Amino acid sequence: MALIVQKFGGTSVGTVERIKQVAEKVKKFREAGDDLVVVLSAMSGETNRLIDLAKQISEQPVPRELDVIVSTGEQVTIALLAMALNDLGVPAVSYTGNQVRILTDSAHNKARILQIDDQKIREDLKAGRVVVVAGFQGVDENGSITTLGRGGSDTTGVALAAALKADECQIYTDVDGVYTTDPRVVSQAQRLDKITFEEMLEMASLGSKVLQIRAVEFAGKYNVPLRVLHSFQEGPGTLITIDEEESMEQPIISGIAFNRDEAKLTIRGVPDTPGVAFKILGPISAANIEVDMIVQNVSHDNTTDFTFTVHRNDYEKAQKVLQNTASEIGAREVIGDTKIAKVSIVGVGMRSHAGVASRMFEALALESINIQMISTSEIKVSVVIEEKYLELAVRALHTAFELDAPSRQGE
Amino acid sequence: MALIVQKFGGTSVGTVERIKQVAEKVKKFREAGDDLVVVLSAMSGETNRLIDLAKQISEQPVPRELDVIVSTGEQVTIALLAMALNDLGVPAVSYTGNQVRILTDSAHNKARILQIDDQKIREDLKAGRVVVVAGFQGVDENGSITTLGRGGSDTTGVALAAALKADECQIYTDVDGVYTTDPRVVSQAQRLDKITFEEMLEMASLGSKVLQIRAVEFAGKYNVPLRVLHSFQEGPGTLITIDEEESMEQPIISGIAFNRDEAKLTIRGVPDTPGVAFKILGPISAANIEVDMIVQNVSHDNTTDFTFTVHRNDYEKAQKVLQNTASEIGAREVIGDTKIAKVSIVGVGMRSHAGVASRMFEALALESINIQMISTSEIKVSVVIEEKYLELAVRALHTAFELDAPSRQGE
């Protein structure tokens, strides 16, 4: 008999019919003998409806009061599921974040969980009840309702699993697991049975938006086994867990991630003096622009070129800031490019394997794809290429690192 | 500087525009120097929408979970008003029933308030904030959300006023006060400046549905001055308060109440033995049918006639029960009539004045209206008449007891 925390997102509880389906699913687990804590989001669209209502009253709603309104979304779904479960003969009880007592800081609209009181939940589980908890919300020490920010329901699920020392935290979504890469780009993409927290973090931050990054970090920190599954299809999903030193049998690379959200900016002919990187990036950061990749070439003739990427939405703003900096520090010119894509190979296996990067570069070279920037971390190698080569690059790398589904290769 | 509790109902907060109007109104009171606690209902229609949603999940929703859902209605309006007030430069904070801590019993969907913690509210008032409280809801000692049942927001307002020893509890509605009778029936009906709790109770229970009976009882018990006002029109409204021994100047009769919701049943030729009333009404009560007026005539030939009224919706059910009783106790026959109306004169002044009843009967006799049943209490005389004479009877009594508006008599 296991203790499982299950989290269902907005589309999984988007209609009365779906809530009833979720109840049937929960019932099956319960009948198999598991203890269950179910975390729910608001019905899809409801959070936006509530925010719109608030915006009609106030252009800049008081954050504390916005949380009071927005938190009603989950409050409705938890009670609906608890009702549906009781109707199926499964004793169930609902709790808001405040009722569990999910204690957070007071950063309204983006609060962080500090502590979870597990007493009530343990009593209910002991009494044979399914506990249905509102995701995305908590309460601060003044008793004010807080919300964790968008996607916070995943975090609630993981935090509850950590507090209860659950055997597994299952995140139900509209995909059946984590794939080696996007199946829409590579038809041979395979669902992974297993992936490490670190790999998942790299995949998630690179655009494989299956899970909230915060939830994965949290799960890694407290070592909560996390499983991604499809809400309404059967299947084992993908288990996200620690690296259990089985790397001998693991593939070197777990997946290929990519995104087209970034733009590249280069400031050329920068006088190469100490502190130049700060002089360039300080104003960018002060303008609240996040920087992803940063590359500085070795200098020649006492000047250097400095390149970095930002989100495309910030491109024009960043360009203006950089032009100012260029005049101030006497750089030659600022150039930029929005038609780029970033492709990354991710895998804990590469820690113990040399030559992973060169194998990547070789595969791209064979397709005559020019690499514009390179950045590496312990479990990831990323390159920036021209956007039009994105699909070609992903397919080439997928094959080069032997990720193609064997059963499909013969198709 | 007074402490005022103001309650606004569903139509007063039915739209974003109206909520903004309520905020403007509250601001004016605040600027006049009053401390304010504002109690709100859900936006009109919202409670029904939430109940419908629950009914789609379950024909008989678990009462505890239904309260979790339904309570979100007020949770939204309090935050919207708090936002609107802050936008107008009036510091304000919202509290759910749970956050105030309005402790109730655990009778979900129809809970009763046991205790109110006034600490937080007093701190906020001291700090110059308007406190906006969700009506209709509370929390039981297990921390479960409860609701007080329909119209419970009035009760929340009165209970808060009692706990805070407020100077006045103002109930804002869609009428500008309590009238001597329904102005749609008697054009000379006058708004009363003042009425006692007892009179208001009699008026309310007789169909003048301005206030919830429970709220009036509560206000009377704790001596909370209660004022009924129009939400969006200026005016002093009607003050409901204790009888301050000013009866010398008070009119004998404060108002004429009436309803057409009842039906009359008579069981004739009942053998007149001790306990016969219980034999007749016991089965009615066991069938969960509420009885209003009861009249038993003096017996002749050792048999008696026994008449009572029930709500029209219960008429057929009551008739069947009574037929059974009639066979059992050997009564002659059961007859009934649904085309009746009940008219009452209400006033604490009649306590010290003889002849009020006879003046009533005289006024009806002058219009040739036959009286079918009579029932009296200390501050009320009620008669049942044929329904078609209702308007005529009310107008005749309104004039006979000198309630007609003097300014309008010459019109």
Side-chain angles (χ1 to χ4, degrees):
Chain A
M1 195 175 88
L3 170 54
I4 303 175
V5 175
Q6 302 186 320
K7 181 257 167 179
F8 293 88
T11 52
S12 306
V13 293
T15 62
V16 165
E17 287 66 38
R18 292 206 155 182
I19 291 172
K20 287 180 180 173
Q21 282 177 39
V22 168
E24 294 283 0
K25 192 169 193 99
V26 170
K27 186 187 181 182
K28 273 189 204 157
F29 275 89
R30 189 73 196 101
E31 284 174 347
D34 293 320
D35 280 342
L36 293 172
V37 176
V38 182
V39 176
L40 298 184
S41 301
M43 293 169 89
S44 50
E46 182 65 3
T47 304
N48 285 337
R49 185 185 75 84
L50 292 166
I51 290 174
D52 284 350
L53 193 59
K55 296 259 165 148
Q56 284 176 48
I57 287 281
S58 172
E59 280 177 32
Q60 289 227 298
V62 185
R64 178 192 185 277
E65 303 301 337
L66 187 60
D67 279 351
V68 172
I69 290 178
V70 169
S71 62
T72 62
E74 291 77 31
Q75 191 168 327
V76 169
T77 46
I78 55 171
L80 291 177
L81 182 65
M83 283 174 186
L85 284 168
N86 279 296
D87 265 20
L88 292 176
V90 180
V93 64
S94 76
Y95 290 127
T96 63
N98 176 49
Q99 287 177 317
V100 170
R101 207 159 187 246
I102 297 179
L103 184 71
T104 71
D105 59 24
S106 300
H108 286 288
N109 311 162
K110 50 178 194 295
R112 293 196 162 252
I113 296 175
L114 300 177
Q115 202 186 310
I116 292 182
D117 185 350
D118 62 355
Q119 194 200 332
K120 269 192 203 170
I121 296 179
R122 286 200 188 279
E123 285 170 15
D124 285 311
L125 292 175
K126 211 169 175 182
R129 283 187 281 269
V130 171
V131 180
V132 186
V133 177
F136 173 69
Q137 60 180 248
V139 65
D140 73 4
E141 57 177 3
N142 303 317
S144 293
I145 295 168
T146 55
T147 65
L148 310 181
R150 283 293 168 119
S153 290
D154 285 359
T155 308
T156 302
V158 173
L160 273 168
L164 295 164
K165 296 182 180 57
D167 297 288
E168 198 167 283
C169 178
Q170 300 177 341
I171 309 282
Y172 288 87
T173 67
D174 52 2
V175 296
D176 68 349
V178 180
Y179 274 71
T180 49
T181 195
D182 187 337
R184 285 169 303 185
V185 171
V186 181
S187 61
Q188 287 100 329
Q190 300 184 77
R191 185 184 51 73
L192 293 160
D193 286 329
K194 223 171 172 181
I195 187 173
T196 70
F197 294 116
E198 293 159 294
E199 288 168 336
M200 190 64 208
L201 275 179
E202 295 288 5
M203 297 290 273
S205 64
L206 287 163
S208 308
K209 284 164 188 163
V210 177
L211 282 174
Q212 281 301 110
I213 292 182
R214 264 172 76 187
V216 179
E217 283 174 351
F218 214 104
K221 188 172 170 189
Y222 293 98
N223 194 15
V224 175
L226 202 58
R227 192 181 291 275
V228 175
L229 300 128
H230 196 288
S231 299
F232 303 114
Q233 290 170 15
E234 294 299 315
T238 297
L239 181 65
I240 305 155
T241 183
I242 51 167
D243 180 16
E244 285 164 336
E245 306 299 338
E246 292 170 4
S247 11
M248 299 307 289
E249 293 171 39
Q250 274 185 331
I252 299 167
I253 298 300
S254 291
I256 318 286
F258 58 85
N259 79 51
R260 331 168 189 244
D261 300 334
E262 297 186 21
K264 186 179 74 166
L265 283 158
T266 302
I267 179 167
R268 298 179 70 175
V270 179
D272 194 4
T273 56
V276 70
F278 176 71
K279 276 184 196 150
I280 293 166
L281 291 181
I284 295 287
S285 167
N288 264 320
I289 298 167
E290 284 200 28
V291 171
D292 179 25
M293 288 172 80
I294 304 169
V295 172
Q296 186 183 352
N297 290 351
V298 291
S299 68
H300 50 99
D301 302 337
N302 290 323
T303 67
T304 185
D305 298 344
F306 194 97
T307 303
F308 58 91
T309 62
V310 297
H311 196 281
R312 274 191 202 177
N313 295 344
D314 290 329
Y315 176 69
E316 288 179 22
K317 195 169 154 198
Q319 201 176 27
K320 275 182 201 154
V321 173
L322 201 57
Q323 289 287 9
N324 283 342
T325 307
S327 331
E328 276 175 28
I329 63 176
R332 198 163 65 242
E333 63 173 341
V334 170
I335 56 172
D337 187 358
T338 58
K339 300 219 173 302
I340 60 163
K342 180 172 154 187
V343 180
S344 307
I345 55 173
V346 175
V348 290
M350 71 172 71
R351 278 179 187 151
S352 49
H353 286 78
V356 170
S358 61
R359 192 158 146 200
M360 180 188 197
F361 304 153
E362 183 192 16
L364 296 173
L366 282 172
E367 301 291 349
S368 304
I369 298 168
N370 189 39
I371 297 171
Q372 301 180 5
M373 290 174 80
I374 300 171
S375 155
T376 61
S377 81
E378 225 187 332
I379 64 162
K380 181 187 71 171
V381 181
S382 302
V383 297
V384 167
I385 59 173
E386 204 176 337
E387 187 180 7
K388 66 179 179 185
Y389 295 121
L390 175 63
E391 291 83 358
L392 178 60
V394 173
R395 279 193 296 266
L397 293 170
H398 204 264
T399 303
F401 286 99
E402 294 161 13
L403 295 171
D404 293 347
S407 61
R408 288 190 183 176
Q409 271 177 329
E411 280 176 12
Chain B
M1 195 172 90
L3 169 54
I4 303 176
V5 174
Q6 301 186 317
K7 182 258 167 176
F8 292 88
T11 52
S12 306
V13 294
T15 63
V16 165
E17 287 65 39
R18 292 207 156 182
I19 290 173
K20 287 180 179 173
Q21 282 178 39
V22 168
E24 293 282 359
K25 194 170 191 96
V26 171
K27 185 187 182 186
K28 272 187 205 159
F29 275 90
R30 188 75 196 100
E31 283 173 348
D34 293 321
D35 280 343
L36 293 173
V37 175
V38 183
V39 176
L40 299 184
S41 301
M43 293 169 89
S44 49
E46 182 65 4
T47 303
N48 285 336
R49 185 186 75 84
L50 292 166
I51 291 174
D52 285 351
L53 193 59
K55 296 257 163 146
Q56 285 175 49
I57 286 281
S58 172
E59 279 179 33
Q60 287 226 299
V62 186
R64 180 191 183 278
E65 303 301 338
L66 188 60
D67 279 350
V68 172
I69 291 179
V70 169
S71 63
T72 64
E74 291 78 29
Q75 191 168 327
V76 169
T77 46
I78 55 170
L80 291 176
L81 182 65
M83 284 175 186
L85 284 167
N86 279 295
D87 265 20
L88 293 176
V90 180
V93 63
S94 76
Y95 290 126
T96 63
N98 176 48
Q99 288 178 316
V100 169
R101 207 158 187 248
I102 297 178
L103 184 71
T104 72
D105 59 23
S106 300
H108 286 287
N109 312 162
K110 51 178 193 295
R112 293 199 161 248
I113 295 174
L114 300 176
Q115 202 186 311
I116 292 182
D117 184 349
D118 61 355
Q119 193 201 332
K120 269 194 204 171
I121 296 179
R122 286 198 189 279
E123 284 169 15
D124 285 311
L125 293 175
K126 212 170 174 181
R129 284 187 280 269
V130 171
V131 180
V132 187
V133 177
F136 174 70
Q137 59 180 250
V139 63
D140 72 4
E141 57 178 5
N142 302 318
S144 293
I145 296 167
T146 54
T147 66
L148 309 182
R150 283 292 168 119
S153 290
D154 286 359
T155 308
T156 302
V158 172
L160 273 168
L164 295 163
K165 296 182 179 58
D167 296 288
E168 199 167 286
C169 178
Q170 301 178 340
I171 309 283
Y172 289 87
T173 66
D174 53 2
V175 296
D176 69 349
V178 180
Y179 274 71
T180 48
T181 195
D182 188 336
R184 286 170 299 186
V185 171
V186 181
S187 61
Q188 286 101 329
Q190 300 184 75
R191 184 183 52 72
L192 294 160
D193 287 328
K194 224 172 173 179
I195 187 173
T196 69
F197 294 116
E198 293 160 293
E199 287 169 337
M200 190 63 209
L201 275 178
E202 296 287 6
M203 297 290 273
S205 65
L206 287 163
S208 308
K209 283 162 190 166
V210 178
L211 282 173
Q212 281 302 110
I213 292 181
R214 263 172 76 189
V216 178
E217 283 174 352
F218 215 105
K221 187 171 170 191
Y222 293 99
N223 194 15
V224 174
L226 202 59
R227 192 180 290 276
V228 175
L229 299 129
H230 195 287
S231 299
F232 304 114
Q233 289 171 16
E234 293 300 313
T238 297
L239 181 65
I240 305 155
T241 183
I242 51 167
D243 180 14
E244 287 164 335
E245 307 299 338
E246 291 170 6
S247 14
M248 299 307 290
E249 293 171 38
Q250 276 184 330
I252 299 168
I253 297 301
S254 290
I256 317 286
F258 58 85
N259 79 50
R260 333 170 187 242
D261 300 335
E262 297 185 19
K264 188 180 71 168
L265 284 157
T266 301
I267 179 165
R268 297 178 71 173
V270 179
D272 195 4
T273 55
V276 70
F278 175 73
K279 275 184 198 151
I280 294 166
L281 291 181
I284 295 287
S285 167
N288 263 321
I289 298 168
E290 284 200 29
V291 169
D292 179 27
M293 289 173 80
I294 304 169
V295 173
Q296 185 182 353
N297 290 353
V298 291
S299 66
H300 49 101
D301 302 338
N302 289 324
T303 68
T304 186
D305 298 342
F306 193 95
T307 303
F308 57 91
T309 63
V310 297
H311 196 281
R312 274 191 201 176
N313 295 344
D314 290 329
Y315 176 69
E316 288 179 23
K317 195 169 152 199
Q319 201 175 27
K320 275 184 200 150
V321 173
L322 201 58
Q323 290 287 8
N324 283 341
T325 308
S327 331
E328 277 174 29
I329 63 177
R332 196 164 67 244
E333 63 175 340
V334 169
I335 56 172
D337 187 357
T338 59
K339 299 218 174 302
I340 61 163
K342 179 171 153 187
V343 180
S344 307
I345 54 173
V346 175
V348 289
M350 73 171 70
R351 278 180 187 150
S352 47
H353 286 78
V356 170
S358 61
R359 193 158 144 198
M360 180 187 197
F361 305 153
E362 183 192 16
L364 295 173
L366 282 171
E367 301 290 349
S368 304
I369 299 169
N370 190 39
I371 297 171
Q372 301 180 7
M373 290 174 81
I374 300 171
S375 154
T376 61
S377 81
E378 224 187 332
I379 65 162
K380 182 187 70 172
V381 180
S382 302
V383 297
V384 167
I385 58 174
E386 202 176 337
E387 186 181 8
K388 66 178 178 185
Y389 294 121
L390 174 63
E391 290 84 359
L392 177 61
V394 172
R395 278 194 295 268
L397 292 170
H398 204 264
T399 303
F401 286 99
E402 294 162 13
L403 295 171
D404 293 348
S407 62
R408 289 188 183 178
Q409 272 178 328
E411 281 174 12

